[in-house]
Amino acid sequence: EMCIRDRLNEKIGIKQSAAQVESDMREIETASVDDYLKESTHLEKLHNEIADTDAVLADMEDMLTSFQNSLGNISSEIKHLQDESLSMKLKLRNRKAVEAKLRQFIDAVALPPDLISNVCESEVNEAYLEFIVALNKKMSCLKDDRARSTLAFQDVEPELEKLRCKAAARIRDFLMQKLDQLRMKRTNIQIIQQNVLLKYKYFNTFLAAHAPETSVEIRANYVDTMSRYYHSKFRTYVQSLLKLRVEVASKDDLVGVGSERNSGGLFGSKKSVATRTSVFSLGERNKVLEEVGTDSIIPHIASETKVKYGFEVLFRSMLHLLCESATTEYLFTHQFFGRMDSIFHQIFAKTIGVFMETIEGFLGDCYDAVGLLLMIRLTRDHQLIMSRRRVPVLDGTFDRVNLSLWPRFKKVFDANLESVSNPRDSPTVNDTHPHFISRKYAELAGSIHCLNQGVDNEMLTANMSHFLAAMEKRLCTMSSSLAGGRKNSHIFLINNYDVILAILKERNITCNDTEKLEKLLASATGAFVEDELQGHFGKMIGFVKEVEPMVQAGNLEGIPYNEDYIGLLLSEFSGGWQAAIDKVNNAVMKYFTNFKNGMDILKHVLTQLLLYYTRFLDIIKTVFGPNAFSGQIVTIPNLMHEIKKYSRTFV
């Protein structure tokens, strides 16, 4: 390469360069041959070594090929062993599964001698439960149709049936013995239920599954025993309780019936029964609502104290006892027999019958509206208690009680309403004092509204509105029969509306009826104020009412009165206004028995007088000038000073 590059770089012709290159190449070839010849010995030695190496490598190749073939065989053997291992593993798993099922089946079919001995001979106690559990498992497993078709089951079935019958018979005898204890006198039923029967409730579970006819027999025996127990105890309790009852109201105790005459003989001072207001008063009777959830009355202890109770108190005790007994029995029967409400109803059918007969016997001759409403509230409160306990089995009983109480209450209420709206004998009205009818109505209305608070029964609210309308009409009729004209009529209405409102406010009652009564009282008070002022300042008031519209219309020329007449009016007022105010004060103190109400009415009278007199002076100043009659006019401050002497409740 270097030769060729050197010749090309020389500036000679191509032919010369080619010849020169060829010559150089021959020289190089000759020199190379000489070099090879010098190294021929070494090359031969290298050739021999390479040949030896090829022989060694050929032997190694044969050996490696042999190893490769051996490894291939080993891999095949390993794969074969792996397949064999998987096959053996699958067979082992299947055999274990079959063994487990077979063992389970054998355990289910086989009847160990110790199990037979224990079921047939061991004492029935808590340990016996374990034997019954084991027997139940065997019987449950053999209910499978595939198990029943095996020869093993056919061999063991007769023995298993004998064992079932033996276990059922022994359990029946044991449970019957425990149920017999419930019939013994002075037996604590709940202790036997909780500490004995519930401990062995699995026995009943076994009977229900494998001896249903025996389970039905046990259940029937229990139902009969407990039905007799509750019926007897409840009937005895009710009979003892009714001896503590006191009569509260009679058929003559009506709001609109009665008279003010004495009924205690010539020298008697006892009011007629028909005028009693305590019959309608709630008083402390509502304490029975606070006693909901407390223990029932114990008759023999109460009889020793010689305390008598209204029927609503006895009703609460009966209802409390019924609810507590029902709760206990409901929970027990559900735990022992399962969720079967029919068992409870069978047990308590007679007891509830006694309860309803007692209520219906009382309602047939009951005229106590307050007591009936208390019983309705008590029923509602106990129903809420049972609802919170999630014990619904008395819901039907509560409905029956309500269906008995509400119609009777409505009948008694309507009788009282009828006595006011359509009285047979109208009581005489001899004075303007509050009438006994108003007091009786107020007490009844207060009791009903008080018991309706928090309940807001719309029917009661509507009925009381009708009752108030009837009372308003009755009082207006009675007031019109008074001698003394409109004034006494207004006084009578004020006194009666005031006593009704006072009683309702004393009970902290605020409702539509109280609002209406306040309007009626205000209307009657306004009419009385006008009548009272008319009697003392009639000319001045008449002048104001006649002339004031003409002044407001600007028709001063049409006023038919001259200065002389105005002077006469002022002279009469200034000469007699103080005496007139004194007479008004005395009259108010005389007419109105309620001091506070009297002072309020006096305030209205004097305030209205001040307004009339102010309007009178404004007319004079407008018509005759601001300085007219200045010497005859009683100044407003003088009038206010005198008014303050009488009106003690305002400044």
Side-chain angles (χ1 to χ4, degrees), residues 104 229 298 328 419 477 502 601:
Q104 181 180 0
Y229 170 79
I298 301 176
T328 301
S419 70
T477 302
I601 293 174

Side-chain angles (χ1 to χ4, degrees), residues 178-406:
K178 298 302 179 184
L179 294 181
D180 288 341
Q181 294 179 8
L182 298 175
R183 301 186 181 186
M184 297 180 182
K185 293 183 178 180
R186 298 181 181 179
T187 298
N188 192 318
I189 299 294
Q190 291 187 11
I191 290 180
I192 295 179
Q193 288 177 333
Q194 299 299 322
N195 298 343
V196 179
L197 293 178
L198 283 182
K199 187 188 299 183
Y200 298 104
K201 68 177 182 179
Y202 189 79
F203 284 162
N204 187 68
T205 303
F206 177 82
L207 293 178
H210 305 294
E213 67 284 349
T214 305
S215 176
V216 170
E217 182 185 3
I218 295 293
R219 185 166 66 243
N221 186 288
Y222 177 82
V223 168
D224 181 66
T225 300
M226 297 308 297
S227 176
R228 291 173 182 271
Y229 170 79
Y230 283 118
H231 177 253
S232 175
K233 294 294 183 182
F234 196 80
R235 181 180 58 188
T236 303
Y237 179 76
V238 169
Q239 290 173 351
S240 301
L241 209 58
L242 292 178
K243 295 177 182 178
L244 305 175
R245 176 189 168 191
V246 62
E247 190 73 31
V248 177
S250 67
K251 63 179 180 180
D252 295 323
D253 286 312
L254 299 171
V255 171
V257 174
S259 64
E260 296 286 4
R261 67 180 182 274
N262 293 338
S263 61
L266 182 61
F267 302 101
S269 60
K270 184 180 179 181
K271 289 283 187 180
S272 170
V273 173
T275 64
R276 293 184 304 171
T277 58
S278 60
V279 172
F280 306 100
S281 175
L282 186 60
E284 295 187 353
R285 296 177 71 181
N286 64 338
K287 286 186 177 180
V288 70
L289 298 177
E290 301 172 4
E291 296 173 357
V292 171
T294 60
D295 293 339
S296 299
I297 295 173
I298 301 176
H300 72 272
I301 295 178
S303 61
E304 291 176 359
T305 60
K306 298 182 180 180
V307 178
K308 298 293 183 180
Y309 303 96
F311 189 81
E312 69 275 4
V313 179
L314 310 182
F315 176 77
R316 185 206 70 83
S317 289
M318 288 186 281
L319 203 54
H320 176 75
L321 179 61
L322 182 64
C323 289
E324 294 303 308
S325 301
T327 301
T328 301
E329 195 60 34
Y330 174 82
L331 295 176
F332 171 78
T333 54
H334 269 227
Q335 288 179 287
F336 192 79
F337 294 106
R339 303 185 68 85
M340 297 175 63
D341 291 351
S342 59
I343 297 177
F344 171 87
H345 294 301
Q346 292 173 20
I347 293 173
F348 273 84
K350 293 181 179 179
T351 303
I352 293 173
V354 171
F355 179 61
M356 292 306 303
E357 287 175 8
T358 304
I359 294 174
E360 290 167 1
F362 163 75
L363 294 179
D365 193 35
C366 175
Y367 302 93
D368 180 13
V370 177
L372 288 169
L373 201 53
L374 281 169
M375 291 169 65
I376 291 171
R377 279 290 304 272
L378 287 169
T379 303
R380 172 182 175 273
D381 292 347
H382 282 85
Q383 190 168 11
L384 290 175
I385 289 175
M386 297 299 282
S387 177
R388 287 193 291 269
R389 293 177 180 176
R390 297 184 179 179
V391 179
V393 286
L394 287 182
D395 287 349
T397 303
F398 290 131
D399 291 340
R400 289 177 62 188
V401 172
N402 280 321
L403 288 174
S404 297
L405 292 176
W406 274 112

Side-chain angles (χ1 to χ4, degrees), residues 532 535-537 572-587 602 606 609 634 639 642-643 645-646:
E532 190 67 17
H536 298 284
F537 306 99
E572 289 181 355
F573 183 83
S574 60
W577 68 276
Q578 290 176 318
I581 290 178
D582 187 60
K583 289 180 180 179
V584 169
N585 177 68
N586 293 334
L602 180 61
L606 298 180
L609 171 62
V634 177
L639 186 59
E642 190 68 21
I643 287 175
K645 294 180 181 180
Y646 297 97

Side-chain angles (χ1 to χ4, degrees), residues 82-95:
Q82 186 178 10
D83 293 340
E84 287 292 326
S85 175
L86 291 174
S87 176
M88 293 175 66
K89 183 178 180 180
L90 181 61
K91 291 178 181 179
L92 178 62
R93 184 173 60 188
N94 292 337
R95 287 177 181 179

Side-chain angles (χ1 to χ4, degrees), residues 65-75:
T65 301
S66 176
F67 285 162
Q68 183 178 8
N69 294 331
S70 298
L71 289 174
N73 294 332
I74 291 171
S75 177

